[in-house]
């Protein structure tokens, strides 16, 4: 059985290699052999996630023709990649990308710090902001007033409180997607929703297509559920999805599920356009793939007050019945991470199956928190609280962007119009090493490989909009100190943090 889960065509790989900007050579530096330059180019594409791990590469003859080089050059490059652990091959199955043994995904960087550690450490690991008061306290008080009738029941509502299901259905209807409460299941956060979906639709060994990069916690959830992740590289910058790649993966790998974040993607901040959404739904339906759409960032449009700034229609607008698109929402990003309320919108029969399967998981979601969210959404408090959140996140984003540009001018990123995260290319340094050294100098940040499949994106870190003002300035200063330590260690050679160049 082949070990690859997707394929990269010769013309596509040639375009990616030719688009790479070579680093200027220093005085007296000799140009590397052609095979070495080719091997380094492929290696960088894998490390950056532009070519997914476990992707089948073109045959030597095909790539040589596409690049206008000799087959010997390609054969030598492939052999060098195999020796370095970036390529595996088997007779009859071809060659596919990999990462070297001993390069596990970083284990730290996303778990929230204990409160007593926040005084000495700037935590950029968790993309979550403090609660937008006074709305949290006010909502809990409102929920307590509505609690007595529910206290006289058993308190188990596997599908969610009827009142909240109706409220959420009405909100989708107001967005232009007619929805019944029977199409809603309330869950314990978005993670609970996606966990339930994975257990229902994707048993152990099933293929699940995911964006590359993607949200680290969801990737780990799917790994632990036994899914075989099929990465699909994002388009450049903030351009959203690469639809030709998606069509190819859906056609060739036939994944049972596909997980995407269309609105202010985590970690890149990309916003998928209306036509991209329509085409992806059509491609998934044609392939028989169930599309799971994460909308947890959809209300965090930080530049939404600018003229002409309108969000595209929700992805579920192109499948209003909810048979091909399962939509996941949450209060955790838009309101507060401590409010573990999520939901799924899908066809009624899908919701019934999810509810039935839930009896063997968590049985239901806490009643008081559901009442608090329902109170907020029913009184207009939700819109005011989310408005506070948007203003705070926008201010933090602008402060962090200015600080990083000042302290780390060699780092590259595109500024997203919404969401909570900045996806930063670290100037050729290892993101994992920066994360490791950063904790020693007082800043916690997740390295890029946490957001890829099997070690991709080594040259990136994710920076969330969780700090602003002087704290953002100090965070950038500490990141710059970490980068200098990593860079000096790389120059030192032995036992040093690894760097890579094209």
């Amino acid at each position: 059985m082949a070990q690859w889960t997707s394929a990269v065509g010769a013309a596509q790989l040639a375009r990616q290699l030719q688009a790479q900007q070579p680093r200027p050579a220093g005085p007296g530096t000799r140009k590397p052999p052609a095979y070495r330059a080719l091997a380094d180019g492929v290696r960088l594409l894998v490390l950056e996630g532009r070519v997914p791990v476990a992707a089948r590469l073109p045959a030597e003859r095909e790539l040589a023709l596409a690049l206008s080089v000799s087959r010997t050059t390609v054969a030598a490059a492939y052999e060098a990649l195999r020796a370095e652990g970036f390529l595996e091959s088997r007779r009859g199955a071809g060659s596919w990308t990999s990462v070297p043994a001993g390069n596990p995904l970083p284990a730290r960087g996303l778990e929230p710090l204990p409160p007593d550690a926040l005084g000495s450490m700037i935590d950029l690991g968790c993309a979550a902001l403090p609660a937008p008061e006074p709305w949290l306290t006010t909502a809990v008080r409102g929920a307590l007033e509505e609690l007595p009738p529910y206290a006289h029941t058993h308190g188990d509502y596997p599908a969610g409180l009827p009142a909240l299901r109706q409220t959420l259905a009405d909100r989708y209807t107001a967005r232009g997607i007619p929805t019944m409460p029977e199409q809603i299941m309330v869950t314990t956060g978005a993670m609970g929703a996606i966990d339930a979906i994975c257990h229902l639709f994707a048993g152990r060994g099933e293929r699940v297509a995911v964006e590359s990069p993607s949200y680290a916690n969801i990737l780990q959830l799917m790994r632990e559920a036994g899914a075989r992740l099929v990465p699909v590289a994002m388009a450049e910058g903030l351009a959203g999805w690469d639809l030709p790649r998606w069509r190819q993966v859906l056609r060739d790998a036939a994944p049972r599920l596909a997980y995407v974040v269309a609105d202010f993607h985590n970690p890149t901040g990309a916003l998928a356009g209306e036509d991209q959404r329509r085409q992806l739904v059509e491609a998934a339906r044609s392939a028989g793939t169930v599309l799971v759409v994460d909308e947890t960032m959809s209300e965090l449009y930080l530049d939404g007050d600018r003229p002409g700034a309108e969000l595209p229609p929700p992805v579920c607008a192109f499948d209003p019945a909810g048979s091909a698109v399962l939509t996941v929402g949450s209060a955790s990003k838009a309101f507060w991470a401590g409010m573990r309320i999520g939901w799924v919108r899908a066809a009624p029969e899908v919701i019934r199956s999810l509810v039935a399967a839930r009896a063997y998981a968590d049985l239901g979601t806490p009643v008081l928190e559901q009442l608090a969210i329902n109170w907020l959404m029913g009184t207009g408090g939700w819109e005011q609280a989310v408005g506070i959140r948007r203003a705070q996140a926008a201010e933090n984003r602008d402060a962090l962007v200015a600080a990083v540009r000042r302290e780390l001018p060699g780092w590259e990123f595109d500024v997203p119009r919404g969401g909570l995260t900045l996806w930063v290319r670290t100037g050729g340094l290892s993101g994992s090493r920066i994360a490791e050294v950063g904790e020693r100098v007082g800043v916690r940040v997740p390295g890029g490989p946490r957001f890829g499949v099997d070690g991709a994106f080594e040259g990136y870190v994710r920076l969330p909009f969780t700090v602003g003002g002087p704290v953002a300035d100090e965070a950038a200063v500490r990141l710059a100190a970490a980068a200098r330590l990593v860079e000096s260690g790389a120059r030192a050679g032995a036992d040093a943090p690894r760097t890579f160049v094209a």
Side-chain angles (χ1 to χ4, degrees):
M1 182 177 179
Q3 300 298 306
W4 48 273
T5 56
S6 62
V8 180
Q12 175 187 340
L13 182 57
R15 285 195 301 271
Q16 290 178 284
L17 289 165
Q18 290 163 354
Q20 289 178 336
Q21 296 297 319
R23 292 171 181 261
T29 303
R30 301 177 63 179
K31 185 177 179 181
Y35 85 89
R36 184 67 263 172
L38 175 56
D40 287 346
V42 173
R43 176 169 56 89
L44 181 58
L45 289 172
V46 173
L47 287 167
E48 291 186 337
R50 307 309 306 163
V51 169
V53 175
R56 187 179 186 273
L57 292 187
E60 295 171 0
R61 190 187 305 276
E62 295 174 355
L63 185 57
L65 184 62
L67 290 172
S68 299
V69 300
S70 71
R71 183 178 177 182
T72 301
T73 297
V74 177
Y78 278 15
E79 182 58 36
L81 289 167
R82 276 190 289 268
E84 296 165 3
F86 286 94
L87 197 67
E88 296 182 25
S89 305
R90 192 173 68 217
R91 186 178 297 277
S95 299
W96 56 93
T97 57
S98 62
V99 292
N103 283 38
L105 293 173
R108 299 177 294 173
L110 291 183
E111 302 81 3
L113 281 173
D116 58 2
L118 293 176
S120 59
M121 181 77 70
I122 298 176
D123 188 7
L124 298 180
C126 186
L129 289 162
E133 289 287 30
W135 291 107
L136 173 62
T137 300
T138 306
V140 172
R141 287 173 179 162
L144 286 171
E145 292 178 0
E146 298 178 3
L147 182 61
Y150 296 95
H152 294 294
T153 73
H154 50 61
D156 286 336
Y157 296 88
L161 292 183
L164 181 54
R165 295 176 75 195
Q166 181 68 62
T167 296
L168 292 169
D170 290 345
R171 290 178 69 84
Y172 278 106
T173 300
R175 294 169 68 189
I177 306 98
T179 303
M180 305 177 293
E182 291 80 9
Q183 290 179 262
I184 301 293
M185 181 177 84
V186 181
T187 62
T188 307
M191 293 288 288
I194 294 171
D195 182 59
I197 291 168
C198 287
H199 279 90
L200 181 62
F201 285 94
R204 299 194 70 82
E206 291 276 7
R207 290 179 175 177
V208 178
V210 295
E211 296 151 328
S212 182
S214 187
Y215 179 37
N217 289 337
I218 293 297
L219 296 181
Q220 189 58 30
L221 182 155
M222 291 177 174
R223 289 187 190 100
E224 292 181 359
R228 296 178 60 194
L229 300 183
V230 183
V232 186
M234 296 286 288
E236 292 288 345
L238 299 176
W241 300 321
D242 187 327
L243 265 301
R245 290 186 182 182
W246 271 103
R247 292 193 194 93
Q248 181 183 17
V249 168
L250 293 175
R251 181 182 64 247
D252 295 347
R256 184 70 180 92
L257 288 179
Y259 168 77
V260 296
V261 185
D263 300 294
F264 311 119
H265 174 260
N266 187 353
T268 68
L271 177 66
E274 178 176 351
D275 196 48
Q276 289 179 316
R277 297 169 188 233
R278 179 186 294 106
Q279 290 187 48
L280 186 57
V281 172
E282 292 172 354
R285 187 182 287 115
S286 297
T289 297
V290 176
L291 194 60
V292 181
V293 180
D294 187 335
E295 282 193 336
T296 54
M297 296 282 192
S298 64
E299 297 202 56
L300 295 175
Y301 195 178
L302 308 185
D303 296 337
D305 56 348
R306 296 183 181 178
E310 294 183 0
L311 281 174
V315 179
C316 59
F318 305 104
D319 178 51
S323 57
V325 176
L326 311 186
T327 304
V328 173
S330 171
S332 297
K333 296 298 185 186
F335 184 70
W336 185 46
M339 190 66 74
R340 305 304 304 161
I341 299 295
W343 54 87
V344 181
R345 182 199 180 275
E349 59 272 19
V350 174
I351 295 297
R352 286 194 293 270
S353 297
L354 288 169
V355 171
R358 192 176 192 179
Y360 307 100
D362 63 357
L363 293 177
T365 303
V367 170
L368 187 62
E369 283 87 339
Q370 292 187 71
L371 288 172
I373 293 300
N374 192 58
W375 186 93
L376 281 168
M377 291 181 171
T379 61
W382 177 266
E383 283 68 26
Q384 295 187 57
V386 173
I388 294 172
R389 170 67 75 243
R390 290 193 193 105
Q392 185 179 14
E395 183 178 344
N396 288 355
R397 177 198 61 184
D398 296 345
L400 187 64
V401 164
V404 173
R405 283 177 172 164
R406 182 178 61 251
E407 300 295 335
L408 291 150
W411 287 17
E412 302 172 24
F413 52 86
D414 293 303
V415 181
R417 291 178 287 167
L420 288 172
T421 58
L422 197 66
W423 186 237
V424 181
R425 191 195 301 257
T426 54
L429 299 176
S430 162
S432 298
R433 295 295 189 180
I434 289 172
E436 178 184 356
V437 174
E439 294 212 21
R440 300 205 301 265
V441 299
V443 60
R444 200 178 207 209
V445 58
R450 286 296 303 266
F451 305 90
V453 175
D454 295 332
F457 303 107
E458 186 59 62
Y460 290 81
V461 294
R462 189 195 73 172
L463 305 180
F465 312 143
T466 53
V467 297
V471 181
D473 293 338
E474 180 61 24
V477 168
R478 296 184 188 186
L479 282 172
R484 287 193 296 271
L485 288 171
V486 170
E487 192 169 17
S488 63
R491 287 197 299 265
D495 196 31
R498 180 170 53 86
T499 61
F500 53 89
V501 296

